[in-house]
Amino acid sequence: MQTKNTGPGRRTADGVAGEGTAKPSRRGTWAKLNPLLRLLILTQLAFNIGFFAVLPFLAEHLGTAIGMAGWMVGFVLGLRTFSQQGLFVVGGALADRYGVRPVVLAGCVLRIAGFAWLGYADEDWSVIGSVLLIGFAAALFSPAVESEVARQAVVWEESGGGPRTSVLALFTVAGQAGAFLGPLIGALLLAVDFRVVCLAGAGVFVLVLAGHFRLLPQHIPGRERVEVKGGLGGLLRNRRFLALCCAYGAYLLAYNQLYLLLPDEVERATGSQSALAWLFGLSSLLVVTAQLPVTRWAADRLDLRRSMTAGLLLISAGFAVVAAARPAAWTGNAGLLPAAGFVVLLTLGQMLVAPGARAWVPDLAADGRLGLYTGAMSSVSGLIVLVGSAGTGSLMGTGLPGAVPWLVLAAIPVASILLIPRQPAAESRQGVSLGHQPGTARR
């Protein structure tokens, strides 16, 4: 089907989406989604509510109630991240081989067991076992859900529903809403004790398990199962995909500074980290309210490469704002202004980079290997975050001027723009170039 550009933000495709076509609102997009997509998006909301009801309070629980040393707390949290991000590639490969339903259900069962175990764990070995189980559960269900959302978003786009990033933006909004609501629920339950918080988190996944056991199809049309073996070699030879992973990893490294550089800056400016809650709330509120408008704006004007480039430049600007203000050594409310500017610019950049990168994966994945490639992007970028965060921590402890880590982190997103792969003409559409066109071979 030949697509003709008819002006900025407008296209015609044999009568589809011509001049004057109304842009879909969040409600309009949701109303037109098929039941499977609605289920998967609500799944992301529920997953994050259950997860973030527990994990924000884990470090304090380990340090105070269990009595772990500070290094041991950090080790346990690092193990959870490794067992999750590092094994995403395994979960993705299993989803390709056995389908979405069994992998998601198995992940839910493990997450229920992990949270229940954590609630009663009072020794180091028991805490480590429960945390590893919690992380591995996510390594199962997350790539399965994310890859199927991406695949369904391509189907949505090819059927004329709109750019696939609209669907992926809704998925992001649902996840961020869950990340916002989860800690509020957890904080209320923490007034009883941490065990109640863990059991409540497990209860959320019991509901998710029951809902998916009843509603998730045994076989999803168009999803062919493949052997587990044979896909990794092609992935490692796919230079364009690996370049995308590295660019996405640079974004994730920047995003993780919300938990490393930002707390240090807030404490410097105010003498405590209490303002972090407001800054995190600001980030969540921006995503929930502005993600879809930003996505629609980008869809009308930018292809995937330009969208990611613009996002990485915004992220770099956020670090540069704090670096520029650091020599002035402002304190109090004035000292929080650069940090707030960083959060706003980082979040706006995230809105462009994250949906764009996820929307690109189906075009780069080998046939039948979308789960593997989706999981691999998380695993590769997670490794980049692990190495990069260690380097950032080292910079913070060297006694260099406080602006130096912020300047280094400002340079990394800009440098990563050079890694973003080019989009061939068949993969790019002028005006609304957010994936391959119907009938175009996926790479």
Side-chain angles (χ1 to χ4, degrees):
M1 184 181 295
Q2 183 66 31
T3 301
K4 301 175 183 178
N5 189 48
T6 59
R10 295 289 184 267
R11 60 188 172 92
T12 61
D14 296 346
V16 178
E19 186 73 34
T21 300
K23 298 177 184 177
S25 65
R26 183 185 310 179
R27 185 175 301 174
T29 300
W30 175 261
K32 292 190 291 183
L33 296 181
N34 62 47
L36 176 59
L37 266 175
R38 293 186 191 182
L39 175 64
L40 294 174
I41 290 171
L42 290 175
T43 295
Q44 181 71 352
L45 172 67
F47 279 174
N48 278 9
I49 288 175
F51 179 81
F52 285 101
V54 177
L55 263 293
F57 311 103
L58 177 59
E60 183 178 358
H61 171 72
L62 297 181
T64 56
I66 305 296
M68 283 186 176
W71 71 268
M72 188 63 175
V73 173
F75 176 70
V76 169
L77 295 179
L79 276 180
R80 187 207 64 78
T81 300
F82 173 78
S83 65
Q84 180 172 320
Q85 293 289 128
L87 297 178
F88 260 43
V89 64
V90 175
L94 292 175
D96 290 337
R97 175 64 183 90
Y98 298 105
V100 173
R101 178 185 166 90
V103 176
V104 169
L105 294 182
C108 288
V109 170
L110 292 181
R111 178 56 66 86
I112 293 166
F115 274 157
W117 185 3
L118 179 62
Y120 288 90
D122 55 6
E123 297 183 19
D124 290 0
W125 69 267
S126 187
V127 169
I128 289 172
S130 62
V131 165
L132 286 174
L133 198 59
I134 289 168
F136 183 60
L140 288 180
F141 57 64
S142 286
V145 170
E146 289 175 13
S147 64
E148 188 55 37
V149 168
R151 199 181 71 82
Q152 291 292 327
V154 173
V155 174
W156 156 273
E157 180 179 76
E158 292 181 341
S159 66
R164 69 183 75 168
T165 45
S166 295
V167 176
L168 294 166
L170 271 177
F171 187 73
T172 300
V173 169
Q176 196 65 48
F180 180 73
L181 293 173
L184 298 179
I185 295 172
L188 290 174
L189 296 175
L190 198 62
V192 183
D193 64 14
F194 184 74
R195 181 174 297 169
V196 172
V197 176
C198 290
L199 294 178
V204 171
F205 282 89
V206 169
L207 295 177
V208 174
L209 176 65
H212 282 71
F213 185 81
R214 179 176 178 82
L215 299 174
L216 197 59
Q218 292 278 359
H219 176 69
I220 299 172
R223 182 153 193 155
E224 302 298 329
R225 299 180 183 179
V226 298
E227 295 294 331
V228 172
K229 296 181 179 179
L232 190 58
L235 185 152
L236 294 175
R237 292 189 296 271
N238 192 330
R239 294 181 180 180
R240 297 181 67 218
F241 173 72
L242 293 177
L244 179 67
C245 290
C246 290
Y248 186 74
Y251 144 70
L252 275 185
L253 173 61
Y255 183 81
N256 272 264
Q257 301 315 309
L258 288 173
Y259 310 105
L260 186 57
L261 275 182
L262 182 63
D264 180 71
E265 173 64 12
V266 169
E267 186 159 0
R268 182 206 63 79
T270 64
S272 75
Q273 296 187 7
S274 59
L276 278 175
W278 295 100
L279 293 174
F280 288 156
L282 172 63
S283 177
S284 297
L285 184 63
L286 278 173
V287 173
V288 171
T289 58
Q291 177 69 73
L292 285 184
V294 169
T295 299
R296 289 196 297 269
W297 177 88
D300 285 344
R301 295 164 177 82
L302 307 173
D303 62 16
L304 289 177
R305 191 176 194 280
R306 291 189 181 95
S307 180
M308 290 189 66
T309 298
L312 289 167
L313 289 174
L314 284 170
I315 290 169
S316 178
F319 285 99
V321 165
V322 180
R326 193 66 188 263
W330 295 334
T331 57
N333 291 333
L336 286 176
L337 290 177
F342 164 72
V343 169
V344 169
L345 289 169
L346 176 68
T347 305
L348 289 174
Q350 171 195 356
M351 293 181 199
L352 292 170
V353 174
R358 293 192 187 112
W360 208 337
V361 175
D363 292 327
L364 301 174
D367 288 342
R369 302 286 184 181
L370 184 54
L372 173 66
Y373 278 67
T374 300
M377 187 166 74
S378 292
S379 294
V380 171
S381 56
L383 179 61
I384 290 171
V385 171
L386 180 63
V387 174
S389 293
T392 302
S394 298
L395 278 176
M396 294 171 66
T398 57
L400 293 170
V404 171
W406 293 90
L407 285 173
V408 172
L409 267 296
I412 290 175
V414 174
S416 71
I417 292 172
L418 300 175
L419 299 174
I420 303 175
R422 301 284 179 181
Q423 281 186 272
E427 227 177 70
S428 177
R429 294 185 304 206
Q430 186 176 0
V432 188
S433 46
L434 294 167
H436 70 281
Q437 299 187 54
T440 302
R442 298 178 199 169
R443 293 164 175 78

